[in-house]
Amino acid sequence: MFSVVAISLSKHNRQRSRGGEAGFGVMELTIVVAIIALLATTSLIIFGKSRARYQLRQQAQNIAWQIERARMLAVKDCQTLTLGCTANNTVFGLTCSTCDGAKSELPAYTIPGTVTLSAYPTITIKGNGTLQATSGGTALTSLTLSDGQGRQVILMLSNAGRVTISE
């Protein structure tokens, strides 16, 4: 019985070497692993950049939401509201002294330390919904948010009170 098993094993080995190679060699496996590693690395880099761009766009949407919400409150209460930043430019919210009711409905927004603004505006919103944005006495029509990595998002401010986000 032992000789039958040994004969069948040797027969199997001869057929394998004569009939061609079976399985993968070291070079093929190395190439496949290298390609998979390259694709994974590229995917991670693209995902990281997309995530950072998404986060910056979210910050722009948060500021736009603050402006839109303040506009709705100004129209609802038929009063003039003022939005702006604090002295150290880290908080964006209502700065008017006579708008305590609106301040309770619209909490201030904290600007993350990773985001910088092209200007720190003072936005005056009238009871009819129009707005005027200024920075240092100069009228503003846009506000650029950047993350220090070259990514930017632009908030377009119209006098009619509309805020749009573009890249």
Side-chain angles (χ1 to χ4, degrees), residues 44-117:
L44 285 175
I45 291 170
I46 291 171
F47 176 74
K49 288 180 180 180
S50 297
R51 185 170 184 247
R53 191 176 307 114
Y54 171 78
Q55 288 174 336
L56 183 62
R57 191 164 174 81
Q58 282 298 117
Q59 301 306 325
Q61 286 177 344
N62 289 338
I63 292 174
W65 182 85
Q66 282 287 104
I67 297 168
E68 291 287 335
R69 181 73 176 130
R71 181 175 176 252
M72 287 189 296
L73 291 171
V75 170
K76 181 183 94 172
D77 297 335
C78 197
Q79 68 176 356
T80 300
L81 299 177
T82 306
L83 281 166
C85 292
T86 59
N88 57 2
N89 297 326
T90 58
V91 177
F92 183 74
L94 292 171
T95 58
C96 47
S97 58
T98 60
C99 58
D100 292 331
K103 283 182 182 178
S104 66
E105 291 186 50
L106 182 63
Y109 171 68
T110 302
I111 300 170
T114 58
V115 174
T116 57
L117 302 176

